[in-house]
Every structure is written in C-alpha cells, then in structure tokens.
C-alpha cells in the first residue's frame, strides 16, 4: 500500500557508507593472539582447536568476552563492529563467550565438535527483516513491497552473505529471471556486467544442515556443488510439487522466509515464460552472464519482473528515531 511504499523509500534515502556496511564478504577480522594463548593453556576444555567467526548483526558495536567456567572471571576479546562486523579467532569445544546489548548479557558457546564455527550475534531478535520493492504482473505494477525474514540460526553463513549483499546494494535492479509456478522463483544474477565476471571469487562455505525442512515461502541460496553458493537465491513457491527434493544438496539450507507469504507479491511475479531451457521457454542463465546479458533479457523477455531496491530495515530505524 502507499504507506508501506513511503516507508521503504524514506529508509533508502539515507546514504550507506563504510563502516555502516561491510564489503560483500563482510570480513572485518579481529586478531586476538592472546585469546589463543589463554585457550591453549586452558584445562577446562581440552581437545581440538578450531576457528570460530562471530558476526555482529546488531545496530551497535559490541565487546566480546571470554568467560571462565571455573570461577567468576571474564577476559575481553575485542570490539566487533555493528551491521556485519566480524571477528575470527581460535577456540576449543565448550568455550563460552558473552556480550552485552541493551544492558543485557548474552552468551555464545563453542560447539562440541567442529572443524570451524560461524555464529551471528542478534541478541533476542530471531529474525532480521529485509524489505524490497519489486515490479509485478509483467511490470504492470511498478512498486510492490515484500519482506524477507532472515533467520541466522537456520543458516548463519547464508544469512550473513544475503545481508551483506543487500547492504552492498547487489540486488537492486536484479532480474527475477526464473519463475516456475508450483516450484520455485530464482533471482540474484547481478545487473552489473563486471560483478557477474567476479562471481567465482564470491563463493562461500556451505552451512551445516540443522534439520529445518523446506516449506513454501522459504529462501535458500542456489548452487551447483560443494561450497558453490554465490549470489543467486530461490524462493519455494506455493503448492510446490517438488518440495521433498529441496534440502538434499549440501548448499540447500533455508536462511529465511517470505513474510505474509500467501498475500505477498511472489505469486504476482510474471511466470509466463516458464522454466529455463530445456524445461521451458524462460531465460537461459548462460546468456545472462555475458556482458550483454541484461540486454538479452530486455529484448527477449520484456514482461520479466525486477527487484527495484532492498534494505535491511533495522539499519535505518535508529536514524528515523
């Protein structure tokens, strides 16, 4: 509606400058050699040492502490910047960390078994809302809003990458290039030709499968092999006839869902072209990636819908207040 549209564009009117958002990889690494020394000498949790990355998705910087379990003692690890700042350090299974947000202390424990571990700090907030404006009905509607509820505890690396890409404005202007009724909708091939050529360097590690079954409305990154996720995302469509096939590949882990899915714009994205060849007459992804890929879309698929703009809503709430 009009009030929602005004809300989106009031938010996106702010200029996003570093360190307000991290790079696409979101890597603000913190060296904490003293922590590795403490943990190496610790007798509380003997075992294999591994790397742990902590990402701060709160709107304020936080200081991370290591908590001793045997006495009332904590040691400062370091400051982790807001809006996607990260710290990577060595730890052991069972080691406990804490941070304070809004005068409340929150705790994070290193898992019992891990080669490496990735965790997102989000205090008591389960979801992070991403709001997008898209076209619909073959571009007959120029501005329709959709909210993506990003849930980091389902797929922390996937959630973190999606949020970094949103802040980097990657999805602005992106084609909704694969819309298959009763199956899926896919988007994320960059509109910028130079970025399309760099996608190989944007691959990131798969998340452990925590047993969240796919349902209509859920979001996941697409991929084609182990640790192959980059920027393409799919949404499971209503009445999906292939629902049981999702989640069998290591890269298919849901990281969120569409808010108010049944009433959302998803079912109004133009699906007249069908799936990609050879299963349909939709766009061939291999023809989108070359330099003239978006010219190919405009010429051959004039009714295709697009994402206009996206924001991480809470990034702007403090500014509004």
């Amino acid at each position: 509606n009009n009030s929602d549209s005004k809300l989106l564009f009031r938010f996106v009117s702010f200029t996003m400058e570093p360190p307000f958002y991290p790079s696409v990889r979101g890597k603000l690494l913190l060296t904490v050699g003293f922590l590795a020394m403490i943990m190496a000498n610790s007798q509380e949790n003997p075992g294999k040492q591994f790397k742990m990355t902590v990402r701060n998705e709160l709107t304020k910087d936080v200081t991370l502490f290591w908590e001793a379990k045997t006495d009332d003692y904590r040691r400062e690890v370091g400051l982790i910047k807001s809006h996607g700042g990260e710290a990577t350090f060595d730890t052991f299974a069972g080691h406990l960390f804490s941070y304070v947000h809004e005068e409340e202390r929150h705790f994070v424990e290193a898992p019992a078994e891990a080669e490496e571990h990735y965790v997102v700090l989000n205090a008591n907030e389960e979801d992070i809302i991403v709001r997008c404006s898209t076209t619909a009905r073959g571009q007959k509607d120029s501005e329709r809003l959709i909210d993506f509820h990003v849930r980091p505890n389902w797929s922390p690396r996937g959630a973190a990458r999606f949020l970094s890409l949103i802040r980097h404005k990657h999805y602005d202007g992106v084609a909704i290039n694969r819309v298959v009724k009763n199956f899926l909708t896919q988007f994320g091939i960059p509109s910028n030709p130079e970025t399309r050529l760099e996608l190989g360097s944007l691959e990131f590690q798969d998340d452990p499968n925590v047993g969240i079954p796919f349902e209509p409305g859920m979001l996941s990154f697409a991929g084609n092999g182990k640790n192959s996720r980059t920027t393409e995302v799919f949404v499971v469509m209503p009445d999906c006839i292939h629902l049981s096939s999702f989640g069998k590949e290591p890269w298919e882990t849901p990281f969120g869902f569409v808010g108010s899915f049944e009433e959302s714009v998803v079912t109004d994205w133009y699906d007249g072209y069908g799936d990609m060849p050879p299963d349909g007459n939709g766009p061939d992804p291999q023809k989108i990636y070359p330099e003239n890929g978006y010219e190919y879309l405009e010429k051959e698929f004039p009714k295709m819908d697009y994402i206009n703009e996206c924001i991480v809503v809470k990034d702007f709430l403090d500014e509004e207040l």
Side-chain angles (χ1 to χ4, degrees):
N1 59 40
N2 290 336
S3 60
D4 283 341
S5 181
K6 290 177 181 177
L7 180 62
L8 171 73
F9 292 108
R10 185 165 69 249
F11 284 158
V12 299
S13 66
F14 287 91
T15 302
M16 304 177 76
E17 296 290 343
F20 192 71
Y21 64 88
S23 65
V24 174
R25 286 191 177 276
K27 293 295 183 184
L28 301 178
L29 299 180
L30 182 65
T31 303
V32 285
F34 72 87
L35 182 64
M37 178 184 68
I38 293 172
M39 294 178 176
N41 294 327
S42 172
Q43 297 181 0
E44 293 181 358
N45 298 288
K48 184 178 179 181
Q49 181 176 307
F50 59 90
K51 289 195 177 295
M52 179 167 166
T53 297
V54 178
R55 179 185 178 94
N56 178 13
E57 272 300 334
L58 300 166
T59 58
K60 296 179 181 179
D61 301 348
V62 298
T63 300
L64 189 70
F65 294 89
W66 174 71
E67 300 276 336
K69 291 185 177 180
T70 55
D71 52 38
D72 187 17
Y73 172 79
R74 66 174 53 102
R75 178 106 179 222
E76 182 177 327
V77 176
L79 184 74
I80 308 179
K81 291 288 188 178
S82 65
H83 303 93
E86 293 185 354
T88 298
F89 48 83
D90 295 317
T91 189
F92 290 89
H95 275 195
L96 189 65
F97 302 88
S98 72
Y99 63 98
V100 174
H101 178 68
E102 302 293 346
E103 301 183 350
E104 181 179 352
R105 186 167 295 275
H106 303 268
F107 295 90
V108 176
E109 185 171 3
E113 295 182 8
E115 293 295 325
E116 57 182 299
H117 186 55
Y118 192 103
V119 62
V120 176
L121 307 183
N122 199 33
N124 293 326
E125 301 174 29
E126 189 171 35
D127 297 343
I128 301 171
I129 309 300
V130 168
R131 178 165 296 160
C132 297
S133 163
T134 82
T135 66
R137 299 193 306 132
Q139 301 187 42
K140 291 180 180 179
D141 298 341
S142 60
E143 296 177 10
R144 296 276 297 277
L145 296 187
I146 184 170
D147 282 353
F148 297 120
H149 292 240
V150 179
R151 189 160 288 185
N153 62 341
W154 285 359
S155 179
R157 290 183 179 90
R161 170 54 62 88
F162 186 68
L163 293 169
S164 288
L165 291 170
I166 294 293
R167 291 189 176 110
H168 205 65
K169 313 305 288 179
H170 169 87
Y171 291 108
D172 293 6
V174 158
I176 305 171
N177 61 285
R178 187 183 181 195
V179 185
V180 187
K181 190 175 182 179
N182 304 133
F183 184 31
L184 60 74
T185 286
Q186 192 162 321
F187 60 85
I189 299 177
S191 59
N192 185 318
E194 295 180 1
T195 306
R196 292 201 292 274
L197 296 176
E198 298 171 355
L199 286 184
S201 65
L202 297 180
E203 291 181 343
F204 65 103
Q205 188 174 339
D206 294 331
D207 282 294
N209 191 322
V210 296
I212 304 298
F214 275 86
E215 297 178 4
M218 284 189 171
L219 295 162
S220 172
F221 275 91
N224 57 13
K226 183 178 179 180
N227 300 328
S228 63
R229 298 181 293 177
T230 56
T231 64
E232 290 195 65
V233 170
F234 66 84
V235 180
V236 181
M237 295 297 277
D239 302 316
C240 179
I241 58 176
H242 302 293
L243 194 59
S244 62
S245 67
F246 291 117
K248 293 184 177 181
E249 302 294 350
W251 59 86
E252 288 183 355
T253 50
F255 65 84
F257 57 93
V258 176
S260 303
F261 180 57
E262 296 296 335
E263 295 79 36
S264 74
V265 68
V266 167
T267 54
D268 286 336
W269 287 334
Y270 187 76
D271 62 5
Y273 299 122
D275 205 349
M276 59 185 178
D279 299 317
N281 297 315
D284 183 347
Q286 299 306 313
K287 293 183 179 181
I288 305 175
Y289 278 95
E291 185 174 354
N292 64 345
Y294 266 61
E295 295 175 9
Y296 155 73
L297 291 179
E298 292 173 6
K299 179 180 179 181
E300 302 293 333
F301 306 95
K303 293 185 177 181
M304 178 170 294
D305 285 308
Y306 289 79
I307 295 175
N308 299 321
E309 295 179 289
C310 292
I311 60 168
V312 180
V313 171
K314 71 176 182 178
D315 286 359
F316 296 88
L317 291 180
D318 288 343
E319 298 286 348
E320 284 291 292
L321 295 174

